[in-house]
Amino acid sequence: MSGNGNGHAYKVVLGYGTCGIAAGATAVKEALEQEVESGGYDVDLDIAGCMGLCFKEPVVEIFDRDGCSVVYGDITAKKVPQLLEEHVGKGQVIEDWVVKKSEDPNACDGDFLANQLRVVLRNCGKINPESIEEYIEIGGYEAARKALTSMTPEEVIDEVSTSGIRGRGGAGFPTGTKWGFARKSPGDEKYLICNADEGDPGAFMDRSVLEGDPHTVLEGMILAGFAIGARQGYIYCRAEYPLALKRLDIAIEECHQKGFLGENIFGSDWSFDVKVKKGAGAFVCGEETAMMASIEGQRGMPKPRPPFPANSGLWGKPTNINNVETFAAIPWIIAEGGEKYADIGTEKSKGTKVFCLAGKVRRTGLAEVPMGYTLRQVIFDVGGGIAGGREFKAVQMGGPSGGCLPAEKLDTQVDYDQITAAGAIIGSGGMIVADNRTCMVDLARYFLSFTQDESCGKCTPCRIGTKRMLEILERICEGKGEPEDIEKLQILAGDIKDASLCALGGTAPNPVLTTLRYFKDEYEDHILNHKCAAGSCPALITLYIDAETCTGCAACVKVCPTDAITGEKKEPHVIDAEACIRCKMCLSRCPSESIIAE
Amino acid sequence: MEHECTCSTKFADVDDLRPLEEIIERYGSEKGALIPLLQEAQDAYGYLDEKIMREIAKRAGYQFSQVFGVATFFAQFRLKPIGEYLIKVCHGTACHVAGATQITDEVANQLGIKEGETTPDNKFTLESVMCLGACALAPIMVVGDDTHGKLKPTSIKKVLKHYAGPSGSQASEGDDAE
Ligand SMILES: Cc1cc2nc3c(=O)[nH]c(=O)nc-3n(C[C@H](O)[C@H](O)[C@H](O)COP(=O)(O)O)c2cc1C
Ligand code: FES
């Protein structure tokens, strides 16, 4: 953007996505509105989606007339008067609160952004997602206009094929090839679906894109609809994302007003429209055949493929499904050219991928990096390493279908094939970082309880097999594991992988298999020594108080549900191991971190 | 705005079929409209009473088994009434790793109910949900329409207090960010 886009001395932009709101952005918004009014500041207030700096939310970015900006983090309503008074009133930057300055990309935590390359997230946090004008001002809808008025559908598909982009929904299927199938499939009535179900716990890039830049996704869909010959598109968005749903509705309405959706788009003879379908809470509906069943109003159960959606999809018609992030990259590819996209990345994985950094990493948030970065670069250079000075133990990638990679795999490049070879999958791009307090057996149990719960029940290997595996894992976590259990898990895992109807069951054993591959000693420790070294599994740990550091504040005594903690005031306390039920309520209460779980 | 209407009569009574008629009217004979129909009915009544599901089947032309099948398949549909505020504690991976179990335990403790239950005064219902997409601020909990992040067991009491006043008198959102 040139300047700050209007005549005001400053433009103040508040990050107003779900994460910002969760961190208190609503109170900041009210405070900003109030202060600007009462202080009479010459300021244009605006909102934007998530910038990806989630660890610093609520985030406020202030632009001056030249377009130079300063990003402030951890802003609270209380800080707002001072922020406006110093920065806007006196033109003085409050250095202590700065996350990033435009002339100095390395300021403080600026390397979180400096180490990224943003294609999909190019507008997130920069424009007001509820204003089509702001999107148009930065070149939005030009790619769609160009394609619809001067390209053939085949040329659009060629450009996408040249880019080498592979679907970002998990399986990594080449998008150009998929569109080619749908284009060639006979029939006049075809459908396009945007998969915004984002069921993988720990992934939130689709939400961030939908909340921060919904028009990019719509533009990608207009291009795809034109390329394959679909006149009706659906966005299947999970109900857990109310803000994304609201912004999509606004964006679609704006498109109708501008004539970018509807009849004869951009004056061409092409017509295309988009409807939003709200999910109803079923992980399996992220699978394409289950999703189509759900759009048709049935229970979301997968069907065997073939027939593939390209031949017989929604209401039996040729259908093409892509993920939100895939669609969001398309306008860039058409505008900048497929070759430019293909220049980024590795031989077989092109372009950039958005990863969601969460868990025990210092800077949690969105990291869009070129394919080929190493895990170490993503977690340590972008993510800043492990929080609280602890030790890196593993990174979980690909959610319930994925796996955990240990420290010795940190130099693996993020590339579909290399991550798969290492034992995990890129999947949707969730990266949950675990430190030495995370128990890998418990994590495997957690994922199995997830898949077991989400199994639709149609096929037996998935319905019953995951239940048996879960029972074994629960038993191990309770200290009742048997030495044969490891082999039993492996056999069951193989059977479930081979015999399940859809990829939900087919990939469900993965979290168990990779933890067995890299952390077998932890399973053995649980089974043979009845120990959980991470201090996590309640049945296998003892809680005690470090007498050296305990200040005798009695905070723990107040919360202990079984009155297991005793001691004189201001003297070290003790936990009665017999009475302790290891609920760990006391752990988070202790101001001196004197309670130890082992 | 985050908190719009929190009046105590948030949901329609299941004996009053007017809201349902209006919903069915709006969807008419749209293809595949069963899920949105149920979603809107639940928004209007707070849950899906058997009576409502039977009416939907009859008026919108479905088998009751079809309606019931869909309503029990999806996690979002509830067959029992809920309190004024639905508390959803996230148990997605990031929140699990960050201690979601202790958050649920603490909420349950404070309210004296178990997961899936409603307080006797009909104020709160406690549920566990999968990822809410704010993983970077884990652990996460949603109360009504408000998302609360970076929770600690010690912060639960304050969050709940905020909603605990008489019906509809929710205290204004203070500066409760860390
Ligand atoms: C159990 C299961 C859950 C899935 N969940 C999602 C999801 O939440 N979002 C998504 O985009 N794809 C999901 N997929 C993959 C889709 O079936 C499909 O491959 C994808 O949407 C295709 O888009 P793409 O080619 O752009 O990757 C899931 C697959 C399975 C088997
Ligand atoms: S895991 Fe809780 S918000 Fe994603």
Side-chain angles (χ1 to χ4, degrees):
Chain A
M1 239 188 287
S2 63
N4 60 16
N6 55 55
H8 294 278
Y10 289 96
K11 177 166 177 170
V12 175
V13 181
L14 170 69
Y16 207 58
T18 296
C19 28
I21 294 170
T26 305
V28 175
K29 187 164 178 263
E30 283 162 13
L32 280 169
E33 284 161 358
Q34 212 171 11
E35 277 303 308
V36 167
E37 167 137 15
S38 65
Y41 294 109
D42 182 15
V43 156
D44 174 31
L45 265 186
D46 206 352
I47 55 161
C50 169
M51 214 179 271
L53 287 162
C54 309
F55 64 110
K56 284 286 177 190
E57 293 283 1
V59 170
V60 171
E61 183 164 16
I62 306 185
F63 293 85
D64 64 17
R65 275 214 171 88
D66 303 324
C68 288
S69 81
V70 178
V71 181
Y72 290 104
D74 292 325
I75 296 302
T76 60
K78 283 199 198 92
K79 287 180 176 170
V80 166
Q82 192 187 342
L83 181 71
L84 291 176
E85 195 185 314
E86 305 241 336
H87 192 121
V88 176
K90 302 185 192 148
Q92 272 167 10
V93 173
I94 309 177
E95 298 291 344
D96 284 355
W97 301 350
V98 172
V99 185
K100 185 197 135 198
K101 283 193 270 190
S102 46
E103 74 272 25
D104 173 16
N106 286 316
C108 305
D109 283 313
D111 42 353
F112 180 79
L113 293 172
N115 279 310
Q116 304 197 30
L117 174 64
R118 294 194 154 190
V119 171
V120 167
L121 302 178
R122 61 195 179 281
N123 301 325
C124 283
K126 293 210 181 124
I127 58 169
N128 182 341
E130 299 182 11
S131 157
I132 195 170
E133 302 298 344
E134 290 198 17
Y135 183 67
I136 293 172
E137 199 182 309
I138 52 165
Y141 289 110
E142 278 312 308
R145 186 189 301 277
K146 173 172 115 184
L148 268 62
T149 55
S150 69
M151 290 169 84
T152 65
E154 286 75 14
E155 282 168 347
V156 174
I157 296 179
D158 282 346
E159 205 61 54
V160 173
S161 296
T162 306
S163 77
I165 185 172
R166 293 168 65 171
R168 299 300 191 228
F173 192 82
T175 305
T177 312
K178 199 185 218 173
W179 289 13
F181 290 150
R183 171 92 217 155
K184 289 191 199 92
S185 189
D188 294 337
E189 196 185 334
K190 295 182 186 176
Y191 293 101
L192 182 74
I193 301 175
C194 171
N195 191 337
D197 200 38
E198 195 154 66
D200 176 2
F204 50 92
M205 65 284 284
D206 293 351
R207 172 186 67 67
S208 303
V209 173
L210 293 170
E211 285 178 7
D213 194 11
H215 285 290
T216 294
V217 180
L218 290 176
E219 187 174 1
M221 290 184 72
I222 294 170
L223 286 160
F226 174 68
I228 68 162
R231 289 173 193 273
Q232 180 65 53
Y234 289 95
I235 301 178
Y236 189 96
C237 181
R238 62 200 300 248
E240 288 83 351
Y241 292 172
L243 191 60
L245 284 159
K246 175 182 150 207
R247 291 194 176 152
L248 275 174
D249 281 344
I250 295 173
I252 290 172
E253 178 54 34
E254 286 177 316
C255 278
H256 281 142
Q257 282 169 9
K258 291 265 174 207
F260 298 169
L261 283 176
E263 304 289 318
N264 304 101
I265 306 176
F266 305 115
S268 71
D269 58 6
W270 186 249
S271 305
F272 180 72
D273 215 335
V274 172
K275 254 194 204 145
V276 176
K277 286 276 178 177
K278 188 164 90 171
F283 173 66
V284 71
C285 286
E287 196 278 340
E288 50 196 30
T289 58
M291 176 167 291
M292 293 185 297
S294 165
I295 294 177
E296 290 170 8
Q298 304 164 26
R299 294 200 279 171
M301 296 241 201
K303 296 191 183 90
R305 295 174 309 176
F308 287 94
N311 299 315
S312 171
L314 196 58
W315 289 297
K317 305 291 178 200
T319 302
N320 181 81
I321 303 194
N322 282 114
N323 165 264
V324 170
E325 196 186 331
T326 314
F327 282 124
I330 301 294
W332 192 94
I333 290 171
I334 298 300
E336 305 279 331
E339 270 175 36
K340 189 163 170 191
Y341 190 83
D343 283 343
I344 312 168
T346 63
E347 196 196 332
K348 290 203 178 133
S349 301
K350 300 297 184 193
T352 58
K353 174 79 192 94
V354 185
F355 291 98
C356 294
L357 282 170
K360 308 291 180 69
V361 61
R362 217 162 62 77
R363 306 183 196 127
T364 54
L366 294 172
E368 181 171 358
V369 297
M371 290 282 194
Y373 257 42
T374 64
L375 290 173
R376 190 186 301 282
Q377 282 176 299
V378 179
I379 297 165
F380 287 83
D381 296 352
V382 179
I386 307 304
R390 291 186 190 276
E391 214 180 297
F392 173 89
K393 182 169 181 180
V395 55
Q396 208 289 336
M397 294 180 69
S401 321
C404 292
L405 300 180
E408 62 264 31
K409 291 287 171 192
L410 275 173
D411 291 311
T412 311
Q413 287 186 309
V414 290
D415 161 297
Y416 285 102
D417 309 285
Q418 293 196 41
I419 295 290
T420 307
I425 56 167
I426 288 202
S428 53
M431 277 196 190
I432 311 244
V433 177
D435 65 11
N436 53 3
R437 311 286 300 166
T438 315
C439 169
M440 302 316 277
V441 186
D442 174 68
L443 199 58
R445 182 202 59 78
Y446 165 79
F447 280 117
L448 251 287
S449 80
F450 178 86
T451 31
Q452 196 270 323
D453 202 39
E454 295 292 343
S455 168
C456 78
K458 187 167 175 175
C459 75
T460 325
C462 175
R463 183 181 69 238
I464 314 258
T466 56
K467 183 139 182 83
R468 291 291 99 86
M469 281 184 86
L470 177 61
E471 285 163 4
I472 297 175
L473 290 164
E474 280 175 342
R475 164 161 106 207
I476 297 176
C477 289
E478 280 162 16
K480 295 179 192 146
E482 290 152 17
E484 311 81 70
D485 279 346
I486 292 182
E487 201 193 332
K488 277 190 195 156
L489 283 173
Q490 276 160 336
I491 295 173
L492 269 168
D495 293 346
I496 298 171
K497 266 175 112 84
D498 290 344
S500 292
L501 172 65
C502 83
L504 191 156
T507 57
N510 287 355
V512 180
L513 290 174
T514 56
T515 45
L516 274 173
R517 175 162 160 198
Y518 295 116
F519 301 96
K520 197 169 183 179
D521 53 334
E522 262 185 64
Y523 281 82
E524 287 166 351
D525 213 22
H526 279 68
I527 297 173
L528 304 173
N529 310 325
H530 300 281
K531 279 195 78 149
C532 173
S536 165
C537 295
L540 303 178
I541 56 170
T542 333
L543 293 175
Y544 65 90
I545 295 174
D546 181 358
E548 297 275 301
T549 56
C550 174
T551 60
C553 71
C556 52
V557 178
K558 292 194 198 96
V559 295
C560 180
T562 59
D563 297 328
I565 310 177
T566 50
E568 295 294 318
K569 243 196 152 45
K570 303 231 164 77
E571 294 290 325
H573 282 47
V574 282
I575 302 179
D576 174 1
E578 290 286 306
C580 173
I581 54 167
R582 296 171 292 256
C583 66
K584 297 196 245 178
M585 284 298 205
C586 51
L587 262 181
S588 58
R589 295 296 156 72
C590 180
S592 55
E593 296 195 13
S594 303
I595 301 176
I596 296 159
E598 264 177 9
Chain B
M1 269 305 79
E2 289 316 288
H3 343 280
E4 269 170 352
C5 168
T6 46
C7 19
S8 53
T9 50
K10 222 161 85 175
F11 301 119
D13 191 279
V14 293
D15 289 323
D16 175 8
L17 290 181
R18 279 169 309 177
L20 186 66
E21 280 161 11
E22 190 270 322
I23 294 165
I24 293 175
E25 180 117 342
R26 216 156 4 95
Y27 282 93
S29 53
E30 193 184 308
K31 265 203 298 198
L34 179 54
I35 292 171
L37 263 174
L38 290 172
Q39 283 169 330
E40 294 213 12
Q42 176 159 295
D43 287 346
Y45 294 94
Y47 73 107
L48 295 172
D49 193 81
E50 183 181 328
K51 179 172 167 191
I52 297 296
M53 288 190 281
R54 288 203 183 274
E55 286 299 326
I56 290 175
K58 197 167 79 192
R59 290 165 192 243
Y62 296 96
Q63 296 292 332
F64 176 63
S65 61
Q66 210 177 342
V67 176
F68 193 69
V70 168
T72 50
F73 183 86
F74 293 100
Q76 203 184 75
F77 295 122
R78 289 181 295 266
L79 306 186
K80 281 195 301 203
I82 50 164
E84 187 182 348
Y85 294 105
L86 182 59
I87 302 179
K88 296 186 267 193
V89 179
C90 176
H91 283 256
T93 321
C95 293
H96 176 75
V97 171
T101 316
Q102 271 95 295
I103 301 298
T104 293
D105 287 353
E106 181 63 22
V107 177
N109 239 346
Q110 293 279 340
L111 298 177
I113 52 172
K114 290 202 210 57
E115 202 190 307
E117 292 180 352
T118 301
T119 50
D121 62 357
N122 268 329
K123 193 92 195 174
F124 297 106
T125 301
L126 175 59
E127 266 185 12
S128 290
V129 293
M130 272 305 143
C131 184
L132 293 160
C135 325
L137 299 172
I140 299 282
M141 164 171 114
V142 171
V143 185
D145 293 329
D146 309 334
T147 309
H148 300 266
K150 285 190 187 165
L151 292 168
K152 298 195 187 89
T154 39
S155 48
I156 300 299
K157 197 171 180 175
K158 194 172 156 202
V159 174
L160 292 178
K161 209 172 124 200
H162 186 78
Y163 300 91
S167 284
S169 73
Q170 182 186 10
S172 75
E173 177 98 22
D175 185 9
D176 68 356
E178 313 255 318

PDB file of all heavy atoms in Angstrom, chain B residues 110-129:
ATOM      1  N   GLN B 110     -15.571 -25.681  40.101  1.00  0.00           N
ATOM      2  CA  GLN B 110     -16.180 -24.393  40.453  1.00  0.00           C
ATOM      3  C   GLN B 110     -17.700 -24.467  40.358  1.00  0.00           C
ATOM      4  O   GLN B 110     -18.407 -23.868  41.161  1.00  0.00           O
ATOM      5  CB  GLN B 110     -15.680 -23.294  39.510  1.00  0.00           C
ATOM      6  CG  GLN B 110     -14.212 -22.957  39.659  1.00  0.00           C
ATOM      7  CD  GLN B 110     -13.962 -22.027  40.830  1.00  0.00           C
ATOM      8  OE1 GLN B 110     -14.866 -21.359  41.306  1.00  0.00           O
ATOM      9  NE2 GLN B 110     -12.734 -22.019  41.313  1.00  0.00           N
ATOM     10  N   LEU B 111     -18.187 -25.177  39.351  1.00  0.00           N
ATOM     11  CA  LEU B 111     -19.629 -25.187  39.120  1.00  0.00           C
ATOM     12  C   LEU B 111     -20.320 -26.353  39.816  1.00  0.00           C
ATOM     13  O   LEU B 111     -21.546 -26.410  39.885  1.00  0.00           O
ATOM     14  CB  LEU B 111     -19.931 -25.245  37.620  1.00  0.00           C
ATOM     15  CG  LEU B 111     -19.434 -24.064  36.778  1.00  0.00           C
ATOM     16  CD1 LEU B 111     -19.743 -24.305  35.308  1.00  0.00           C
ATOM     17  CD2 LEU B 111     -20.067 -22.760  37.237  1.00  0.00           C
ATOM     18  N   GLY B 112     -19.526 -27.312  40.285  1.00  0.00           N
ATOM     19  CA  GLY B 112     -20.112 -28.477  40.939  1.00  0.00           C
ATOM     20  C   GLY B 112     -20.880 -29.382  39.996  1.00  0.00           C
ATOM     21  O   GLY B 112     -21.862 -30.021  40.380  1.00  0.00           O
ATOM     22  N   ILE B 113     -20.459 -29.394  38.725  1.00  0.00           N
ATOM     23  CA  ILE B 113     -21.119 -30.306  37.771  1.00  0.00           C
ATOM     24  C   ILE B 113     -20.052 -31.095  37.030  1.00  0.00           C
ATOM     25  O   ILE B 113     -18.882 -30.758  37.088  1.00  0.00           O
ATOM     26  CB  ILE B 113     -21.980 -29.543  36.728  1.00  0.00           C
ATOM     27  CG1 ILE B 113     -21.149 -28.447  36.054  1.00  0.00           C
ATOM     28  CG2 ILE B 113     -23.222 -28.996  37.361  1.00  0.00           C
ATOM     29  CD1 ILE B 113     -21.843 -27.781  34.886  1.00  0.00           C
ATOM     30  N   LYS B 114     -20.495 -32.135  36.338  1.00  0.00           N
ATOM     31  CA  LYS B 114     -19.571 -32.894  35.504  1.00  0.00           C
ATOM     32  C   LYS B 114     -19.744 -32.459  34.047  1.00  0.00           C
ATOM     33  O   LYS B 114     -20.709 -31.781  33.689  1.00  0.00           O
ATOM     34  CB  LYS B 114     -19.877 -34.390  35.601  1.00  0.00           C
ATOM     35  CG  LYS B 114     -19.542 -35.023  36.937  1.00  0.00           C
ATOM     36  CD  LYS B 114     -19.367 -36.523  36.700  1.00  0.00           C
ATOM     37  CE  LYS B 114     -19.734 -37.388  37.869  1.00  0.00           C
ATOM     38  NZ  LYS B 114     -21.064 -37.296  38.432  1.00  0.00           N
ATOM     39  N   GLU B 115     -18.782 -32.892  33.236  1.00  0.00           N
ATOM     40  CA  GLU B 115     -18.864 -32.608  31.821  1.00  0.00           C
ATOM     41  C   GLU B 115     -20.188 -33.115  31.256  1.00  0.00           C
ATOM     42  O   GLU B 115     -20.628 -34.205  31.598  1.00  0.00           O
ATOM     43  CB  GLU B 115     -17.708 -33.337  31.136  1.00  0.00           C
ATOM     44  CG  GLU B 115     -17.336 -32.764  29.837  1.00  0.00           C
ATOM     45  CD  GLU B 115     -16.368 -33.681  29.132  1.00  0.00           C
ATOM     46  OE1 GLU B 115     -15.342 -34.052  29.727  1.00  0.00           O
ATOM     47  OE2 GLU B 115     -16.670 -34.022  27.986  1.00  0.00           O
ATOM     48  N   GLY B 116     -20.831 -32.324  30.417  1.00  0.00           N
ATOM     49  CA  GLY B 116     -22.101 -32.730  29.825  1.00  0.00           C
ATOM     50  C   GLY B 116     -23.301 -32.313  30.669  1.00  0.00           C
ATOM     51  O   GLY B 116     -24.444 -32.455  30.248  1.00  0.00           O
ATOM     52  N   GLU B 117     -23.044 -31.796  31.877  1.00  0.00           N
ATOM     53  CA  GLU B 117     -24.159 -31.438  32.755  1.00  0.00           C
ATOM     54  C   GLU B 117     -24.430 -29.936  32.766  1.00  0.00           C
ATOM     55  O   GLU B 117     -23.611 -29.134  32.322  1.00  0.00           O
ATOM     56  CB  GLU B 117     -23.843 -31.902  34.187  1.00  0.00           C
ATOM     57  CG  GLU B 117     -23.825 -33.411  34.327  1.00  0.00           C
ATOM     58  CD  GLU B 117     -23.508 -33.868  35.749  1.00  0.00           C
ATOM     59  OE1 GLU B 117     -23.148 -33.036  36.612  1.00  0.00           O
ATOM     60  OE2 GLU B 117     -23.617 -35.075  35.987  1.00  0.00           O
ATOM     61  N   THR B 118     -25.600 -29.600  33.321  1.00  0.00           N
ATOM     62  CA  THR B 118     -26.011 -28.204  33.454  1.00  0.00           C
ATOM     63  C   THR B 118     -26.175 -27.884  34.941  1.00  0.00           C
ATOM     64  O   THR B 118     -26.649 -28.739  35.697  1.00  0.00           O
ATOM     65  CB  THR B 118     -27.343 -27.988  32.708  1.00  0.00           C
ATOM     66  OG1 THR B 118     -27.143 -28.325  31.339  1.00  0.00           O
ATOM     67  CG2 THR B 118     -27.824 -26.553  32.791  1.00  0.00           C
ATOM     68  N   THR B 119     -25.788 -26.671  35.333  1.00  0.00           N
ATOM     69  CA  THR B 119     -25.944 -26.310  36.745  1.00  0.00           C
ATOM     70  C   THR B 119     -27.430 -26.256  37.101  1.00  0.00           C
ATOM     71  O   THR B 119     -28.267 -25.968  36.234  1.00  0.00           O
ATOM     72  CB  THR B 119     -25.310 -24.936  37.042  1.00  0.00           C
ATOM     73  OG1 THR B 119     -25.792 -24.002  36.076  1.00  0.00           O
ATOM     74  CG2 THR B 119     -23.804 -24.995  36.967  1.00  0.00           C
ATOM     75  N   PRO B 120     -27.778 -26.535  38.368  1.00  0.00           N
ATOM     76  CA  PRO B 120     -29.191 -26.568  38.765  1.00  0.00           C
ATOM     77  C   PRO B 120     -29.925 -25.251  38.477  1.00  0.00           C
ATOM     78  O   PRO B 120     -31.111 -25.250  38.185  1.00  0.00           O
ATOM     79  CB  PRO B 120     -29.141 -26.825  40.270  1.00  0.00           C
ATOM     80  CG  PRO B 120     -27.799 -27.418  40.530  1.00  0.00           C
ATOM     81  CD  PRO B 120     -26.885 -26.894  39.479  1.00  0.00           C
ATOM     82  N   ASP B 121     -29.195 -24.105  38.506  1.00  0.00           N
ATOM     83  CA  ASP B 121     -29.864 -22.834  38.224  1.00  0.00           C
ATOM     84  C   ASP B 121     -29.982 -22.561  36.720  1.00  0.00           C
ATOM     85  O   ASP B 121     -30.355 -21.460  36.313  1.00  0.00           O
ATOM     86  CB  ASP B 121     -29.113 -21.677  38.908  1.00  0.00           C
ATOM     87  CG  ASP B 121     -27.685 -21.522  38.404  1.00  0.00           C
ATOM     88  OD1 ASP B 121     -27.251 -22.361  37.562  1.00  0.00           O
ATOM     89  OD2 ASP B 121     -26.995 -20.587  38.833  1.00  0.00           O
ATOM     90  N   ASN B 122     -29.612 -23.587  35.895  1.00  0.00           N
ATOM     91  CA  ASN B 122     -29.721 -23.451  34.436  1.00  0.00           C
ATOM     92  C   ASN B 122     -28.833 -22.362  33.846  1.00  0.00           C
ATOM     93  O   ASN B 122     -29.119 -21.825  32.793  1.00  0.00           O
ATOM     94  CB  ASN B 122     -31.158 -23.159  34.013  1.00  0.00           C
ATOM     95  CG  ASN B 122     -31.881 -24.448  33.723  1.00  0.00           C
ATOM     96  OD1 ASN B 122     -31.259 -25.419  33.287  1.00  0.00           O
ATOM     97  ND2 ASN B 122     -33.166 -24.467  33.994  1.00  0.00           N
ATOM     98  N   LYS B 123     -27.785 -22.039  34.567  1.00  0.00           N
ATOM     99  CA  LYS B 123     -26.931 -20.957  34.105  1.00  0.00           C
ATOM    100  C   LYS B 123     -25.875 -21.472  33.111  1.00  0.00           C
ATOM    101  O   LYS B 123     -25.670 -20.895  32.051  1.00  0.00           O
ATOM    102  CB  LYS B 123     -26.228 -20.357  35.331  1.00  0.00           C
ATOM    103  CG  LYS B 123     -25.564 -19.049  35.066  1.00  0.00           C
ATOM    104  CD  LYS B 123     -26.498 -17.924  35.379  1.00  0.00           C
ATOM    105  CE  LYS B 123     -25.962 -16.657  34.771  1.00  0.00           C
ATOM    106  NZ  LYS B 123     -26.879 -15.561  34.921  1.00  0.00           N
ATOM    107  N   PHE B 124     -25.183 -22.554  33.512  1.00  0.00           N
ATOM    108  CA  PHE B 124     -24.072 -23.033  32.693  1.00  0.00           C
ATOM    109  C   PHE B 124     -24.230 -24.495  32.305  1.00  0.00           C
ATOM    110  O   PHE B 124     -24.693 -25.307  33.108  1.00  0.00           O
ATOM    111  CB  PHE B 124     -22.752 -22.931  33.473  1.00  0.00           C
ATOM    112  CG  PHE B 124     -22.361 -21.529  33.843  1.00  0.00           C
ATOM    113  CD1 PHE B 124     -22.483 -21.084  35.152  1.00  0.00           C
ATOM    114  CD2 PHE B 124     -21.839 -20.677  32.886  1.00  0.00           C
ATOM    115  CE1 PHE B 124     -22.096 -19.801  35.501  1.00  0.00           C
ATOM    116  CE2 PHE B 124     -21.447 -19.387  33.228  1.00  0.00           C
ATOM    117  CZ  PHE B 124     -21.582 -18.948  34.537  1.00  0.00           C
ATOM    118  N   THR B 125     -23.802 -24.818  31.086  1.00  0.00           N
ATOM    119  CA  THR B 125     -23.652 -26.205  30.670  1.00  0.00           C
ATOM    120  C   THR B 125     -22.194 -26.381  30.283  1.00  0.00           C
ATOM    121  O   THR B 125     -21.622 -25.506  29.629  1.00  0.00           O
ATOM    122  CB  THR B 125     -24.547 -26.528  29.460  1.00  0.00           C
ATOM    123  OG1 THR B 125     -25.897 -26.269  29.836  1.00  0.00           O
ATOM    124  CG2 THR B 125     -24.420 -27.982  29.027  1.00  0.00           C
ATOM    125  N   LEU B 126     -21.587 -27.474  30.713  1.00  0.00           N
ATOM    126  CA  LEU B 126     -20.167 -27.700  30.439  1.00  0.00           C
ATOM    127  C   LEU B 126     -19.978 -28.785  29.385  1.00  0.00           C
ATOM    128  O   LEU B 126     -20.508 -29.881  29.514  1.00  0.00           O
ATOM    129  CB  LEU B 126     -19.461 -28.107  31.744  1.00  0.00           C
ATOM    130  CG  LEU B 126     -17.986 -28.498  31.642  1.00  0.00           C
ATOM    131  CD1 LEU B 126     -17.147 -27.359  31.083  1.00  0.00           C
ATOM    132  CD2 LEU B 126     -17.449 -28.906  33.012  1.00  0.00           C
ATOM    133  N   GLU B 127     -19.223 -28.441  28.344  1.00  0.00           N
ATOM    134  CA  GLU B 127     -18.959 -29.394  27.268  1.00  0.00           C
ATOM    135  C   GLU B 127     -17.475 -29.400  26.926  1.00  0.00           C
ATOM    136  O   GLU B 127     -16.781 -28.414  27.150  1.00  0.00           O
ATOM    137  CB  GLU B 127     -19.685 -28.945  25.987  1.00  0.00           C
ATOM    138  CG  GLU B 127     -21.031 -29.557  25.779  1.00  0.00           C
ATOM    139  CD  GLU B 127     -21.641 -29.161  24.435  1.00  0.00           C
ATOM    140  OE1 GLU B 127     -20.922 -28.593  23.584  1.00  0.00           O
ATOM    141  OE2 GLU B 127     -22.836 -29.427  24.249  1.00  0.00           O
ATOM    142  N   SER B 128     -17.024 -30.493  26.329  1.00  0.00           N
ATOM    143  CA  SER B 128     -15.677 -30.522  25.761  1.00  0.00           C
ATOM    144  C   SER B 128     -15.823 -30.495  24.256  1.00  0.00           C
ATOM    145  O   SER B 128     -16.701 -31.140  23.712  1.00  0.00           O
ATOM    146  CB  SER B 128     -14.966 -31.824  26.107  1.00  0.00           C
ATOM    147  OG  SER B 128     -14.668 -31.846  27.456  1.00  0.00           O
ATOM    148  N   VAL B 129     -14.969 -29.746  23.582  1.00  0.00           N
ATOM    149  CA  VAL B 129     -15.040 -29.709  22.125  1.00  0.00           C
ATOM    150  C   VAL B 129     -13.648 -29.912  21.548  1.00  0.00           C
ATOM    151  O   VAL B 129     -12.650 -29.842  22.257  1.00  0.00           O
ATOM    152  CB  VAL B 129     -15.599 -28.376  21.595  1.00  0.00           C
ATOM    153  CG1 VAL B 129     -17.042 -28.213  21.974  1.00  0.00           C
ATOM    154  CG2 VAL B 129     -14.775 -27.199  22.072  1.00  0.00           C
TER     155      VAL B 129
END
